[in-house]
Amino acid sequence: MAGIANSQLKEMQMSDGRAVTEHRTSSYRDILHSTALIGASSVVAMFFALIRMKTIALLLGPTGVGTVALLSSVVDVVVALAGLGVSQSGIRQIAKAEGSGDKIRMAATVRTVQRTSIVLGLVGALALAALSIPIAVLTFGGADYALGLAVLGLVVLFRILTGSEAALLQGTRRILDLAKLNIITSIAAVSIAVPILLVWREAAIVPMLVLTALAGWVTARWYSRRADIVGSLAGSVPGELGELLRLGVAFTVSGFLTMGAAYAVRMLVVQEAGIEAAGFYQAAWAIAGLYVGVVLQSMGTDFYPRLTAVVGDDAAVTRLVGEQTQVSLLLAGPGVIATITFSHLLVTVFYAPGFSPAASLLRWLSLGMMLRVITWPMGYIIVAKGWQKMFIATEVVATVIHVGLAAALMPLFGVDGAGAAFLCLYVCHGMLVYVIVRRNCGFVLPVQNLGLMALFGFCCAVAFAGFAYLPFWWATLLGLAMTCVTGLFSLFALLRLVPAGALPKPIRSLLSSVGANPAA
């Protein structure tokens, strides 16, 4: 009897082990699948963004790029305030309604998000128009851009409406539609920008921003209407609006602080080195976020809804965050090192030779982006858990650190001080977030993730230091070697995580074409 019992126990343990392995394989497959879709769309979007950025840089120069950045920062702040975080909290509410299987509740939640967004968008547009003169004086030192800022109220409206439509797609995990939306809006942005900039130059900046935002909303609306939402005439769910706004407050504060910090840092750059330097800062910021943005965007698109679905299970939360961090490091690490290595080439190709002063700033920002990849998965725990006060507190601390360090370091190091401040921000923010999630839900970074952090941190530091202490070409060769080594390491590490049959078909085809065969 004892032998039979032991045999049954072993079979149960083996079955449990196979179930865990299959579950982890499925999780890794989901991460890679969403990353492949969003990544492919982002690559296409990058190509068209390159055309758009090159057009602005060549036709308007650093001053024009700086003007576009400042106007966009103003719009970002107003959207963050007026939107009340409804698009972000809407993702959570829609994901919960989708998970419940209640189609009527699902339709009512979507209708609540959309109606609320219309009201908030109109309020935001009118508010920007009413305050356009003081905002223009604060931003540009005069009222010359007041009329343009008033017209940009339309961008605020379209952006908030687009957010509500995208919340439906993301909450229901329609990843393919989101990828298509990303591609179409990037193509529309170029199709709008190039002809009007060629004709009107500086006068085309405001119309370009308005028409681009309109195209984004029309496209998002078209895709959201394709979603199979029954009960479209459903009323509201009791308490739905209150819950939506309650959660949205935290996102509003976060968005305002994030965009406000970006606006404040740009103002500090303008005060310290002029509006041309703001153009350099914008160029470096845009390039630093291009590759890492692919990883972070896919993280927010698919990982956040999946995490929300298991938020009541701390063990599952720890596992999901650990897996997402591991894959994100493997995907982002080589790209960050390559960005550091080819910083001079990137600012020249994406903008123009006159933007070469942005190269050193780009290297600083890239180091910060590496830490952002580590911090964001842990930060999503706070959001998914609904820890509103903790979320707001971490954002306040991050804003104070970012702006405070930028103000302190730029007089000493020039515009590079803003990049150093960004790096220090994520050093402090990462430690703070880890302490919070460690104490409140028992999250611990897996050992393999600590090893990856050490590896990529060392390689990033070496590539960065090479440009400080070695001749340019020697530093470039050193960085290239680091990029190749970490790239191969990441490739084979990813192949070990997911068997060949679990990989998305596009990735299998790519690997076969280069002779890399995943394990069966």
Side-chain angles (χ1 to χ4, degrees), residues 32-388:
L32 287 173
H33 183 261
S34 62
T35 303
L37 285 176
I38 298 299
S41 68
S42 297
V43 169
V44 176
M46 284 181 197
F47 173 75
F48 289 101
L50 170 60
I51 298 174
R52 182 174 180 267
M53 289 188 295
K54 285 285 288 187
T55 302
I56 297 174
L58 293 173
L59 295 179
L60 306 183
T63 300
V65 173
T67 301
V68 172
L70 291 172
L71 291 173
S72 298
S73 293
V74 172
V75 171
D76 289 341
V77 171
V78 177
V79 169
L81 281 175
L84 291 180
V86 166
S87 61
Q88 292 93 337
S89 60
I91 295 170
R92 188 177 188 272
Q93 295 301 95
I94 291 172
K96 288 178 64 178
E98 171 81 0
S100 69
D102 187 341
K103 297 295 185 181
I104 302 300
R105 180 187 175 189
M106 175 70 177
T109 301
V110 170
R111 179 60 61 88
T112 300
V113 172
Q114 291 175 337
R115 288 176 173 175
T116 305
S117 296
I118 293 172
V119 175
L120 296 177
L122 290 172
V123 170
L126 294 173
L128 180 55
L131 299 173
S132 58
I133 293 177
I135 293 175
V137 173
L138 176 64
T139 306
F140 298 98
D144 293 344
Y145 285 91
L147 178 59
L149 284 169
V151 175
L152 288 179
L154 293 172
V155 178
V156 174
L157 172 61
F158 295 142
R159 287 266 303 273
I160 292 176
L161 293 178
T162 301
S164 70
E165 307 299 342
L168 168 59
L169 298 177
Q170 188 171 343
T172 54
R173 296 183 65 191
R174 298 177 68 89
I175 308 301
L176 182 59
D177 284 346
L178 284 168
K180 292 177 180 178
L181 173 62
N182 192 24
I183 293 173
I184 293 174
T185 52
S186 63
I187 295 174
V190 173
S191 302
I192 291 167
V194 173
I196 64 175
L197 284 172
L198 285 171
V199 175
W200 293 334
R201 302 299 173 99
E202 288 82 1
I205 291 177
V206 171
M208 175 187 71
L209 295 175
V210 173
L211 292 174
T212 300
L214 173 61
W217 171 62
V218 170
T219 307
R221 178 64 178 166
W222 190 81
Y223 275 107
S224 70
R225 287 175 65 87
R226 297 176 60 197
D228 183 20
I229 305 298
V230 299
S232 58
L233 299 178
S236 62
V237 176
E240 186 72 37
L241 179 59
E243 180 70 7
L244 189 70
L245 295 177
R246 185 187 69 79
L247 294 171
V249 167
F251 287 112
T252 300
V253 173
S254 171
F256 172 72
L257 291 174
T258 300
M259 301 304 176
Y263 175 75
V265 171
R266 283 172 171 82
M267 288 297 94
L268 290 171
V269 171
V270 171
Q271 293 173 9
E272 181 67 28
I275 195 169
E276 184 179 57
F280 296 148
Y281 181 86
Q282 174 61 23
W285 179 264
I287 295 173
L290 278 178
Y291 181 78
V292 171
V294 174
V295 178
L296 298 179
Q297 187 178 359
S298 62
M299 186 187 301
T301 301
D302 183 63
F303 170 63
Y304 176 37
R306 288 196 299 123
L307 185 65
T308 300
V310 300
V311 74
D313 185 347
D314 287 343
V317 167
T318 297
R319 177 182 56 79
L320 276 180
V321 173
E323 291 170 354
Q324 181 68 50
T325 304
Q326 183 181 9
V327 174
S328 297
L329 281 169
L330 291 170
L331 292 173
V336 171
I337 297 170
T339 302
I340 294 172
T341 302
F342 301 108
S343 53
H344 281 85
L345 177 64
L346 290 172
V347 295
T348 301
V349 170
F350 276 71
Y351 287 88
F355 283 80
S356 58
S360 60
L361 176 60
L362 173 57
R363 291 193 287 271
W364 280 105
L365 293 175
S366 296
L367 293 178
M369 289 293 177
M370 188 73 249
L371 295 180
R372 177 180 272 189
V373 171
I374 299 169
T375 303
W376 273 32
M378 296 186 294
Y380 274 115
I381 297 177
I382 300 175
V383 176
K385 290 280 189 180
W387 296 338
Q388 184 179 13

Side-chain angles (χ1 to χ4, degrees), residues 414-455:
V415 181
D416 284 356
F422 181 72
L423 170 62
C424 294
L425 158 66
Y426 273 99
V427 171
C428 299
H429 189 248
M431 292 189 294
L432 175 62
V433 170
Y434 182 73
V435 169
I436 290 174
V437 297
R438 177 74 177 88
R439 290 184 176 181
N440 288 277
C441 70
F443 175 79
V444 178
L445 280 169
V447 175
Q448 62 266 31
N449 287 6
L450 293 174
L452 290 175
M453 290 164 57
L455 170 66

Side-chain angles (χ1 to χ4, degrees), residues 257 260-262 264-265 268 396-412 417-418 420-422 424-425:
L257 291 174
V265 171
L268 290 171
V396 170
V397 171
T399 300
V400 171
I401 292 173
H402 191 189
V403 178
L405 286 176
L409 295 176
M410 275 196 285
L412 300 175
F422 181 72
C424 294
L425 158 66

